[in-house]
Amino acid sequence: MSSLRPAAAMRTFLQPLLILFLFLSSTSSVSGSNICTSRGATTCQQCLAVHPSCAWCSQEEFGKGGSSVSRCDLKQNLLDEGCSQGAVEFPSSTLSIQQDEPLSDKSLGTSDVTQVQPQKLHMTLRPGDSKQFTVSVKQVEDYPVDLYYLMDLSYSMQDDLALLRTLGNELATTMGRTTSNLRMGFGAFVDKTMSPYMYTYPPEAVENPCFGSHTKCLAQFGFKNVLSLTEQVARFTEEVGKQHISRNRDAPEGGFDAVMQAVVCKDKIGWRPDASHLLVFTTDAKTHIALDGRIAGIVQPNDGLCHLDNDNVYNKSTVLDYPSFGLMTEKMSENNINLIFAVTSFVVPLYQEYSKLIPGSTVGLLSDDSSNVIKLIDEAYKRIRSKVELELLGVPDELNLLFNATCLNGEVIPGVKSCSGLKIGDTVSFSVEAQLRSCPKEKTHTFTIKPRGFTDSLEVTVDFACSCSCENEAEANSSLCSHGNGTYECGVCQCHSGRLGPHCECSVEDYSQSDDANCIPKQGSLICSGRGNCVCGQCYCHANEFGQVWGKYCECDDFNCLRFKGVLCSGRGKCNCGFCECDSGWKGENCNCSTRTDTCMSSIGLLCSGRGQCVCGVCECTQPGAYGATCEKCPTCPDACTIKKECVECQHFKRGQLTEDNSCNRICRDEIQPVDELGFRSINAVNCSYKDENDCVEHFQYYEDESGKSILFVVKEPDCPKGPDILVVLLAVAGAILLLGLVALLIWKLLVTIHDRREYARFEEERAKAKWDTANNPLYKGATSTFTNVAFRGN
């Protein structure tokens, strides 16, 4: 025991010393060098740009007691050093909501429907600082719909026009199930009215492009607004019935000219500001795109303006080129248009590629005679309403936005600004982090966040806190700066060119070797790190063509950081004294690693198809045999039946692991169609069966149509083992009991009989062996006794 006492005493002695050492270390880290003091900021603006925690002291007398005190420091350190509260420049980032109307439940035919909350907010941001806010979006029920039907009237669409004349009422009835406030319009297009797009010879072909085929056709035109949006369905049917087929010369049509005019001519088309805008584009052919006009000598780009004359005909067809995808996307976003490509199977792959370039558009497979156009429009509208995707308008380059989506069942998807699999009435929210990377030239800016295709939006105004209030009191050529050799600003002198020193008292022409000692960080180092001159005991850093050099010893710069593919900090951060400070959404030593996960999301809604992990925005497949951008290809992985089984369980039966995890809506994007029995639909359809938790056999068919839409046909009634008949069971049990009793009785009787017979046989056998002789029985005495009289002498 005595040997342990010195050790215990030693521990008791060392513990206070250790605590004291840690305290002194933590104190020095606060009151000594920190991120604010280590950057060598010499102006208030430079200080604010170092870090959001840095403050500047503009008090004139501050620091006169010691040369090591820095005006750029943590706020509390400045106050502890004697800087007055009023002289501390420390603008803070703030956020306030200016307009916050609650979300509407249902459209009541008024214009004050709210689908986005909040509507306005104001932020103040410091460089490097960020603020978070939440945007909620709800698609209200019975929202007004404007549907404009834009049809190709070239010769190959003749049967489609004939059928459309009879579908007006049915189309209105179908859309009426979704909204009670529907307006419909009709427009037509062919192509540009000049060679080589139209027939110009013989002359009769100009008025009748079908000349020579014994058919009367309408003269070719670019685009014509036949019927502006109206609530009168009869007018739609009437105007469509008046239309006639035309004809153009080359195979592609001029449909994009028509799309542009239908989008930008808001007044003539009649788009309402408080309605969903559907533009249905129907054709069976390819369409001309930007620069195709050069074939006809048209070199003037499309200007994106409305050019409909008094007859509602596009009058710049021969002057302006076809619009580009970028221009159409911009105009559709401005006017909240959802474009539906209703095209035949021949051109579906082409328009699917077009749709990828036009956000908010969708593609539907149109039958050869357009007989399924109503179903196509209805399904396309449901697909549009089932997805909410935020778009950004007017965000400055210096502001970085990072999104996290909270979709159905409270599931948070980081790095994503869209939700899918929604139903009308569902509410989703998006957490937005706004970070100011650097200071723009303007002091304030307003940008917009809005769901694509919605008229509602969130307006965000940002004030950039990049300057100090003390700069407004700057005194040029101040006497405090060595007789007017600088500008006195925020407590320090901003010296004129060629002057140095706290009060601009030194000239760069002055030099003394004794001052060099103050410009060397450690023995053997270069003066001012070899990147400046030592003047008056201060480092005067050289200008550098690559960027800025600063620091007490010119040790810091903004260009010596790690690069990726030759770009400093990958172009996604700023270099600060040898280290990359990454923008929001990026990480890594050179900021080349994305924190987004939506780029790893597969078509079935799983990160890397559930077969890998998302690293820096790219899938790394971990399951053997899996490959592809999202690990979607895997010949050796479980088949489609195994994968889709879970979707049938959660979507149709509302049970299973995906239902418990609240991930059904994210993972399963299939359409469920209950059927009585599975039929033949395509050679690509897969029939599947599995046994559920109730030992029933479920049957379903997995099918993908031409547009890539996944459909699961599920048999309504599973094959379950029939339950027992109670009466039969009772009778069977009673009969079994009686039978068992009878059998037991018979067995007992049989055993007893066998036993008795054996005993009797044994008795008979023993009796047969017994030989009784009474004369010889020594114990036997007869009943008669005979005596002989020896004295008697008979006759």
Side-chain angles (χ1 to χ4, degrees):
M1 293 293 293
S2 60
S3 62
L4 296 177
R5 288 173 183 170
M10 181 64 67
R11 284 197 301 270
T12 306
F13 175 77
L14 289 177
Q15 283 178 351
L17 292 180
L18 179 61
I19 296 173
L20 178 62
F21 174 78
L22 293 175
F23 173 77
L24 293 175
S25 300
S26 61
T27 304
S28 64
S29 66
V30 173
S31 59
S33 177
N34 54 56
I35 191 171
C36 303
T37 59
S38 63
R39 294 299 188 265
T42 58
T43 67
C44 186
Q45 276 198 32
Q46 290 179 0
C47 180
L48 297 185
V50 170
H51 193 268
S53 63
C54 298
W56 178 269
C57 182
S58 61
Q59 187 172 314
E60 180 181 348
E61 299 83 7
F62 181 76
K64 288 187 176 180
S67 59
S68 62
V69 178
S70 172
R71 289 183 178 271
C72 183
D73 205 338
L74 301 176
K75 180 180 179 180
Q76 189 58 48
N77 289 353
L78 294 178
L79 295 175
D80 293 343
E81 291 292 341
C83 185
S84 64
Q85 183 74 41
V88 175
E89 293 285 343
F90 186 67
S92 58
S93 298
T94 61
L95 186 148
S96 62
I97 298 177
Q98 307 291 321
Q99 184 177 352
D100 191 25
E101 300 294 334
L103 296 172
S104 303
D105 293 325
K106 187 176 181 181
S107 174
L108 300 176
T110 59
S111 58
D112 56 350
V113 176
T114 303
Q115 298 186 98
V116 175
Q117 183 185 16
Q119 296 79 42
K120 287 185 180 181
L121 61 83
H122 181 275
M123 285 192 300
T124 300
L125 284 180
R126 282 187 55 170
D129 204 1
S130 62
K131 279 292 179 182
Q132 288 188 350
F133 56 92
T134 300
V135 184
S136 298
V137 181
K138 181 179 182 179
Q139 302 203 60
V140 301
E141 299 179 15
D142 199 25
Y143 196 65
V145 175
D146 288 345
L147 190 153
Y148 192 79
Y149 197 96
L150 186 58
M151 185 174 183
D152 174 10
L153 285 188
S154 60
Y155 195 76
S156 58
M157 296 287 285
Q158 186 171 3
D159 54 345
D160 303 76
L161 178 61
L163 184 64
L164 183 62
R165 290 168 179 161
T166 65
L167 296 180
N169 291 326
E170 187 180 350
L171 178 58
T173 302
T174 302
M175 293 301 297
R177 301 190 189 104
T178 304
T179 177
S180 61
N181 193 346
L182 173 68
R183 298 206 307 174
M184 298 170 58
F186 182 78
F189 66 89
V190 184
D191 207 344
K192 292 186 179 298
T193 54
M194 62 188 304
S195 182
Y197 311 112
M198 69 176 291
Y199 290 98
T200 58
Y201 186 86
E204 293 83 358
V206 176
E207 294 298 326
N208 179 17
C210 299
F211 181 80
S213 60
H214 306 291
T215 305
K216 176 64 177 176
C217 288
L218 194 66
Q220 185 172 324
F221 57 91
F223 164 69
K224 178 168 59 177
N225 176 31
V226 178
L227 176 67
S228 298
L229 292 164
T230 178
E231 297 176 354
Q232 302 175 14
V233 180
R235 285 285 315 280
F236 180 87
T237 304
E238 177 185 350
E239 292 300 328
V240 172
K242 296 178 182 179
Q243 301 309 305
H244 298 282
I245 290 297
S246 184
R247 187 185 182 191
N248 61 321
R249 186 174 186 178
D250 62 339
E253 321 294 3
F256 284 172
D257 266 347
V259 169
M260 178 58 69
Q261 294 304 301
V263 168
V264 299
C265 297
K266 296 186 292 184
D267 296 334
K268 294 208 177 255
I269 300 299
W271 297 115
R272 290 176 290 181
D274 55 343
S276 293
H277 302 155
L278 299 183
L279 178 59
V280 182
F281 177 92
T282 59
T283 185
D284 62 350
K286 301 177 182 179
T287 185
H288 285 293
I289 59 177
L291 301 181
D292 280 0
R294 293 188 177 187
I295 302 173
I298 301 175
V299 296
Q300 185 174 345
N302 196 290
D303 57 10
L305 300 177
C306 180
H307 296 290
L308 295 184
D309 58 19
N310 294 332
D311 296 325
N312 279 329
V313 176
Y314 180 40
N315 59 12
K316 294 286 185 179
S317 177
T318 60
V319 178
L320 299 178
D321 192 9
Y322 301 99
S324 65
F325 290 106
L327 183 61
M328 286 193 295
T329 299
E330 176 186 342
K331 295 302 178 182
M332 282 193 290
S333 176
E334 289 179 4
N335 297 283
N336 309 307
I337 305 294
N338 291 297
L339 179 61
I340 301 174
F341 289 117
V343 295
T344 55
S345 58
F346 173 69
V347 290
V348 161
L350 175 64
Y351 282 90
Q352 285 176 338
E353 295 300 317
Y354 288 165
S355 181
K356 295 177 182 178
L357 302 174
I358 306 176
S361 63
T362 183
V363 180
L365 176 63
L366 187 69
S367 60
D368 293 336
D369 60 353
S370 297
S371 58
N372 69 329
V373 67
I374 295 178
K375 181 181 178 182
L376 185 153
I377 294 174
D378 184 45
E379 292 178 349
Y381 181 63
K382 289 178 180 177
R383 284 200 300 270
I384 291 171
R385 294 297 299 269
S386 69
K387 182 177 182 180
V388 170
E389 180 181 7
L390 298 184
E391 61 176 336
L392 311 175
L393 304 176
V395 180
D397 294 336
E398 295 82 2
L399 191 65
N400 188 61
L401 300 180
L402 182 64
F403 293 84
N404 291 323
T406 303
C407 300
L408 299 177
N409 302 316
E411 179 186 7
V412 179
I413 308 176
V416 175
K417 55 180 179 179
S418 65
C419 287
S420 57
L422 309 177
K423 299 186 297 293
I424 294 177
D426 288 341
T427 301
V428 296
S429 61
F430 301 89
S431 173
V432 186
E433 180 182 359
Q435 181 192 42
L436 184 62
R437 295 181 292 186
S438 59
C439 291
K441 295 181 179 179
E442 54 191 351
K443 292 186 177 181
T444 184
H445 186 90
T446 300
F447 65 92
T448 301
I449 300 176
K450 62 184 291 292
R452 194 176 301 279
F454 281 51
T455 56
D456 298 59
S457 64
L458 168 61
E459 184 181 281
V460 182
T461 300
V462 185
D463 292 336
F464 305 114
C466 294
S467 59
C468 304
S469 59
C470 58
E471 294 174 1
N472 299 326
E473 303 173 1
E475 180 184 349
N477 301 320
S478 172
S479 58
L480 296 174
C481 301
S482 186
H483 309 292
N485 281 314
T487 299
Y488 185 75
E489 180 182 287
C490 298
V492 295
C493 287
Q494 305 296 328
C495 300
H496 295 162
S497 178
R499 305 293 298 187
L500 284 176
H503 300 285
C504 308
E505 67 274 15
C506 291
S507 171
V508 294
E509 298 175 355
D510 301 333
Y511 174 73
S512 173
Q513 277 191 338
S514 60
D515 297 332
D516 292 349
N518 296 326
C519 299
I520 301 175
K522 59 183 179 180
Q523 191 68 27
S525 300
L526 295 175
I527 297 176
C528 298
S529 304
R531 301 197 292 183
N533 295 327
C534 186
V535 181
C536 300
Q538 260 186 317
C539 282
Y540 186 75
C541 302
H542 296 157
N544 196 298
E545 60 178 327
F546 298 108
Q548 184 181 2
V549 179
W550 73 88
K552 182 178 180 180
Y553 305 107
C554 301
E555 72 277 12
C556 289
D557 59 56
D558 59 2
F559 52 84
N560 275 317
C561 288
L562 292 177
R563 299 172 182 263
F564 180 70
K565 294 183 178 180
V567 180
L568 190 68
C569 297
S570 306
R572 305 182 183 102
K574 62 179 181 180
C575 180
N576 199 335
C577 207
F579 297 95
C580 287
E581 296 179 355
C582 304
D583 300 335
S584 292
W586 297 93
K587 62 181 181 179
E589 293 182 341
N590 52 9
C591 303
N592 69 328
C593 184
S594 173
T595 60
R596 292 178 58 185
T597 58
D598 58 324
T599 53
C600 298
M601 198 72 69
S602 65
S603 59
I604 61 174
L606 282 175
L607 281 177
C608 302
S609 304
R611 299 167 181 152
Q613 55 187 354
C614 188
V615 179
C616 298
V618 179
C619 283
E620 290 186 357
C621 304
T622 56
Q623 183 162 337
Y627 65 98
T630 57
C631 307
E632 72 280 6
K633 300 174 182 178
C634 186
T636 60
C637 294
D639 58 9
C641 291
T642 305
I643 297 173
K644 295 300 180 182
K645 180 190 83 170
E646 296 297 333
C647 293
V648 172
E649 283 286 286
C650 73
Q651 284 186 298
H652 185 64
F653 297 106
K654 309 301 180 186
R655 65 193 182 197
Q657 186 65 38
L658 298 184
T659 301
E660 296 174 2
D661 297 342
N662 293 326
S663 57
C664 183
N665 291 304
R666 175 174 62 86
I667 296 176
C668 301
R669 312 251 177 114
D670 314 273
E671 177 184 333
I672 299 292
Q673 292 189 11
V675 294
D676 294 324
E677 60 181 11
L678 300 178
F680 178 79
R681 289 175 177 83
S682 170
I683 58 175
N684 296 323
V686 180
N687 291 335
C688 306
S689 299
Y690 69 94
K691 184 175 288 188
D692 63 14
E693 58 188 16
N694 301 318
D695 286 334
C696 296
V697 178
E698 307 287 353
H699 302 281
F700 70 94
Q701 186 180 79
Y702 172 45
Y703 170 67
E704 286 190 2
D705 60 16
E706 292 83 351
S707 63
K709 180 181 179 181
S710 175
I711 305 174
L712 299 177
F713 298 95
V714 183
V715 176
K716 297 178 182 178
E717 297 296 333
D719 293 337
C720 296
K722 293 183 178 180
D725 190 329
I726 302 299
L727 181 60
V728 173
V729 171
L730 292 176
L731 293 175
V733 171
I737 294 174
L738 291 175
L739 179 62
L740 290 175
L742 182 60
V743 169
L745 185 61
L746 292 175
I747 293 175
W748 176 80
K749 180 63 177 176
L750 177 63
L751 294 176
V752 170
T753 301
I754 294 173
H755 180 268
D756 289 347
R757 288 183 176 181
R758 285 179 178 175
E759 290 297 320
Y760 180 75
R762 187 181 300 115
F763 169 75
E764 289 292 332
E765 182 182 358
E766 291 294 333
R767 192 178 67 170
K769 291 180 180 180
K771 294 182 179 180
W772 302 100
D773 188 357
T774 58
N776 296 328
N777 188 353
L779 300 177
Y780 175 79
K781 290 183 178 183
T784 304
S785 299
T786 303
F787 300 95
T788 303
N789 189 353
V790 295
F792 176 72
R793 293 179 179 268
N795 297 329

